Amino acid sequence: MTTLEDVKEFSLKTFWEPDGKLTPIELDRDIPFEVKRMFYVYDVHDQNDRGKHSHHKTKQILIAVSGRINVVCDDGKKRRNYVLDNPEKALYIPELIWDEQIYQNEDSVLLVLSNTNYDPDDYIEDYEEFKNIKKPIRRGWRGQRLGEYHNEDK
């Protein structure tokens, strides 16, 4: 089961030249999964928050190509804050990590790369449901399951 230890910040290779900067993303070298979908979020007003969900299967890379975005990640036990404020920084969020993004200015643009195509059934949008899924399976002294446990088919 994924934890906050699986969430990773990393720097993208950037070339500084007299006439500007270039940050290439080579999908087969820089991204730890096959990218099936890319999208960007922008024009978020009044420092609204977005996200507020988790995924059963989707892994994501988040990059603030403009502005400043605070990202809160939660594994059901702990929460950690990350700041994306430079297009050279990226944040890897694996499946079954709850995340929220708080846009600090209206000119913020968030680029997201994911390993799955859009599937509404992959989303977990209720935090209590997320915590129940993340709850460890209790076992007795002989290894048998005790009490309620989450659905392992998802």
Side-chain angles (χ1 to χ4, degrees):
M1 190 71 61
T2 53
T3 69
L4 287 178
E5 299 304 314
D6 299 306
V7 176
K8 303 291 183 195
E9 287 181 288
F10 63 97
S11 296
L12 297 166
K13 179 175 40 181
T14 298
F15 298 97
W16 293 52
E17 299 178 1
D19 59 345
K21 298 177 189 173
L22 171 69
T23 303
I25 300 173
E26 295 179 342
L27 299 179
D28 61 338
R29 293 182 183 177
D30 300 327
I31 306 302
F33 52 77
E34 179 185 355
V35 175
K36 293 205 174 166
R37 180 169 59 122
M38 296 187 331
F39 61 92
Y40 48 93
V41 181
Y42 64 100
D43 207 17
V44 177
H45 299 284
D46 303 320
Q47 288 72 42
N48 280 335
D49 49 354
R50 304 240 340 161
K52 293 187 177 181
H53 62 264
S54 180
H55 295 276
H56 291 285
K57 298 177 183 174
T58 299
K59 301 168 176 38
Q60 297 183 319
I61 300 284
L62 278 57
I63 303 165
V65 294
S66 177
R68 180 184 172 98
I69 302 164
N70 291 343
V71 181
V72 180
C73 292
D74 182 326
D75 65 6
K77 292 184 179 180
K78 295 186 224 167
R79 295 172 72 88
R80 188 173 298 153
N81 294 313
Y82 301 88
V83 176
L84 296 175
D85 59 358
N86 181 327
E88 299 171 25
K89 290 167 58 173
L91 183 65
Y92 168 69
I93 303 175
E95 70 281 2
L96 291 174
I97 295 291
W98 185 270
D99 72 287
E100 304 174 13
Q101 302 94 42
I102 300 99
Y103 289 70
Q104 298 299 304
N105 22 39
E106 287 186 14
D107 68 340
S108 296
V109 178
L110 181 69
L111 173 64
V112 180
L113 294 80
S114 72
N115 70 321
T116 61
N117 290 317
Y118 175 74
D119 177 2
D121 293 334
D122 187 47
Y123 284 72
I124 307 164
E125 297 181 295
D126 179 272
Y127 186 70
E128 291 305 314
E129 178 187 353
F130 166 76
K131 287 195 329 189
N132 284 333
I133 290 169
K134 294 290 284 195
K135 207 180 286 183
I137 298 171
R138 295 182 6 202
R139 297 197 179 272
W141 66 276
R142 291 179 288 173
Q144 77 277 21
R145 294 175 190 244
L146 299 175
E148 293 183 33
Y149 55 93
H150 70 279
N151 179 354
E152 292 180 335
D153 293 335
K154 287 210 174 198

